Amino acid sequence: MSVAAIVALFGSATFTLNQARDGLNVLGHNAGPQAMATTQLYLALADMDARMADVLLMGTDHDLGSGREDALEHYEESRARANEALLQAASLTEGDTVEERNVQAVLDGMGTYEQLATEARLTNDEAGAPPGEVDEEALATYRAATRLMHTELLPKAFNLGLDSSAIVRANHEEGQESVAIGLVWVGVVGVAAVASLVALQLYLRVRFRRRFNVLLIAATAGTVVLTVGVVLALNTSGGHQSRAKEEGLDAAMALARAGAIATDMQADQSRYLADPGRADNYQQTYLDRAQAVLFRPATNLDDYYEQIDGVTESYPDLPGSDGSDEEDPGTLGYLGQRAQDALLSGQEDALADVLAAYAAIQDRDRAMRAAAEEGDTAAALDERMGIAHSEDGVFQEYVDALNELTRLHQEAFTEGIDRGDRALAPWSWALPVGTLVLLALVVAGVRPRLAEYR
């Protein structure tokens, strides 16, 4: 009976350890990285539309900002990233008919968008449109392109990112639940094995009048150590896995969405200047997207600028976080309380840099709109191109700061997965070796008594 209990302990521990390893592998090397890549789809698509709006806005002045050639190169790079992200999304959603259709719809829509965007660019070139004055026919075509992007492609891309996160969460929770059940079984079987060894010890003591059996005592102690060791390793690994997901992957994906939405937000600046007939719509859309990135209660952009200044001035305390004002919901959005709550030790300055860069975008946005309202198209264009410059623009500073904070969370994710793997690694050999030692001790402890019985 003791031998069977030890073998059962080995079986339950092996099964549960393998489940824990599978969970770490799926989160750390399969579904997790794929979900992170899927969030890049929205960013890539938004950047494509932003670059095209900049190209149209430049008109015949190809040296505005970082230049037309630079904008077109980044357009192609974003298109390639979008295609790669679609492949990752297809891999992650394989078997889900609805999501597979969404991936295909985005792929088909990208083709249509590229045709419209190229047609708008060529039409604007042929018309010789000056900077800030997009040709009417080209503008009509671009309107169709950006409408397709914002009513079809970007919503589907955003949903694919959310669905990818949901898949990761479901896989993680299912794996953790399976390991939790396995832990119970390991504990129960371990207790049963110890009980059987104690019972065997008592039986031999009564039957053969021997006070102690040192080998069986060692086997009993070894069974306790083996059981406790496996349970501790599983608990430790599970804790590292949960922290890797929550403090690493989840936080990094939220920041990636902050970057993607902000990319579309700043592109609204170019659309605002390029399409005066819809400037009010683009201004409101800019505010809506800005509120998604970093929310403060504001009904118009002037109020919003002041609120964002308040955020950077009060950081690390966030306005409204103390709940003293019932009408103030706090500092929300991807860069608000959520981002601060996800910070790990030593990351406070990184978030401060992101918030400062974001505030700088708002300062330049205020200057751009003021120039546009005064009818100074050249000054408004200079402000916009200064924001969008790919080397030293304020939006690039925001992207760099955000990437640095994202990198820190990604490192936390990788480190958490590695620590989880290391917690389990010794048991790939310790469990079978320990089981063989226990069985040998039981046999060695019982065999002399059986010989006496004969």
Side-chain angles (χ1 to χ4, degrees), residues 175-429:
Q176 292 289 80
E177 183 179 348
S178 297
V179 170
I181 294 173
L183 269 171
V184 173
W185 276 108
V186 170
V188 169
V189 175
V191 169
V194 170
S196 68
L197 287 168
V198 171
L200 179 61
Q201 178 83 276
L202 294 175
Y203 170 76
L204 293 177
R205 179 182 178 181
V206 172
R207 180 67 179 80
F208 297 99
R209 302 179 185 279
R210 300 297 171 90
R211 188 176 293 253
F212 297 110
N213 188 313
V214 176
L215 294 178
L216 288 182
I217 291 175
T220 303
T223 302
V224 172
V225 170
L226 195 68
T227 302
V228 172
V230 170
V231 169
L232 288 177
L234 288 169
N235 276 327
T236 301
S237 177
H240 288 314
Q241 181 178 340
S242 293
R243 285 189 292 275
K245 178 185 176 297
E246 295 164 5
E247 299 174 355
L249 183 64
D250 289 350
M253 291 179 70
L255 292 174
R257 294 188 182 107
I261 295 173
T263 297
D264 206 23
M265 175 197 76
Q266 59 92 29
D268 282 321
Q269 296 171 333
S270 286
R271 292 187 278 264
Y272 167 84
L273 296 176
D275 194 350
R278 300 185 179 181
D280 289 344
N281 291 337
Y282 286 127
Q283 180 166 301
Q284 183 59 47
T285 303
Y286 177 93
L287 177 58
D288 292 341
R289 293 194 174 106
Q291 292 279 37
V293 176
L294 182 58
F295 176 87
R296 288 296 294 143
T299 57
N300 56 60
L301 274 175
D302 288 333
D303 290 344
Y304 186 71
Y305 298 144
E306 293 180 7
Q307 290 282 9
I308 297 307
D309 288 340
V311 172
T312 55
E313 290 170 2
S314 65
Y315 185 82
D317 296 324
L318 295 178
S321 61
D322 58 2
S324 58
D325 185 351
E326 294 182 357
E327 296 182 357
D328 189 341
T331 304
L332 308 176
Y334 290 110
L335 298 183
Q337 193 67 52
R338 175 192 305 187
Q340 189 175 58
D341 291 343
L343 289 177
L344 301 177
S345 177
Q347 294 182 350
E348 294 81 6
D349 289 345
L351 180 57
D353 291 341
V354 173
L355 294 174
Y358 183 79
I361 295 174
Q362 304 310 324
D363 288 341
R364 296 293 292 272
D365 182 78
R366 175 164 36 195
M368 182 202 76
R369 295 183 197 277
E373 289 173 2
E374 293 172 0
D376 191 346
T377 302
L381 281 175
D382 286 342
E383 289 292 342
R384 168 55 195 156
M385 293 304 162
I387 294 170
H389 199 289
S390 62
E391 293 181 0
D392 56 8
V394 292
F395 184 71
Q396 187 58 49
E397 292 176 4
Y398 166 78
V399 169
D400 291 341
L402 191 65
N403 286 344
E404 174 60 20
L405 182 56
T406 302
R407 182 188 65 80
L408 294 175
H409 282 293
Q410 288 175 322
E411 286 181 354
F413 171 65
T414 302
E415 183 179 356
I417 296 298
D418 289 342
R419 286 183 173 181
D421 284 331
R422 288 197 297 271
L424 299 178
W427 293 98
S428 61
W429 61 266

